[in-house]
Amino acid sequence: MPKNRIIYIGLIVFVASALLWIGAELTKRIDWLLPYTAGAGAGALLIVFGFLQETWKSRSLKPPA
């Protein structure tokens, strides 16, 4: 890593700009797919969250001895 703060900040800005550009290009290429992936992702997330909640609930309930 450079010791000069200006070079360090310049590198951060350069890398951030490159990553933003790559993200924008990716979004342009797959924008038709995004609504479907958002719906599928939200559904899958709800299933996983519900499964974890049920597991947690069954773990906290102990049968009477």
Side-chain angles (χ1 to χ4, degrees):
M1 293 302 294
K3 295 187 190 267
N4 188 339
R5 283 269 196 219
I6 294 173
I7 295 174
Y8 184 72
I9 292 172
L11 281 172
I12 290 174
V13 169
F14 181 74
V15 170
S17 304
L19 290 175
L20 281 172
W21 179 79
I22 290 170
E25 285 298 316
L26 256 168
T27 304
K28 280 188 217 173
R29 294 174 195 265
I30 62 167
D31 63 346
W32 58 272
L33 183 66
L34 291 177
Y36 306 111
T37 58
L45 187 64
L46 284 173
I47 291 169
V48 169
F49 180 71
F51 178 75
L52 291 174
Q53 187 178 18
E54 288 296 320
T55 304
W56 185 263
K57 191 187 307 181
S58 68
R59 186 181 298 167
S60 65
L61 293 176
K62 296 187 179 182

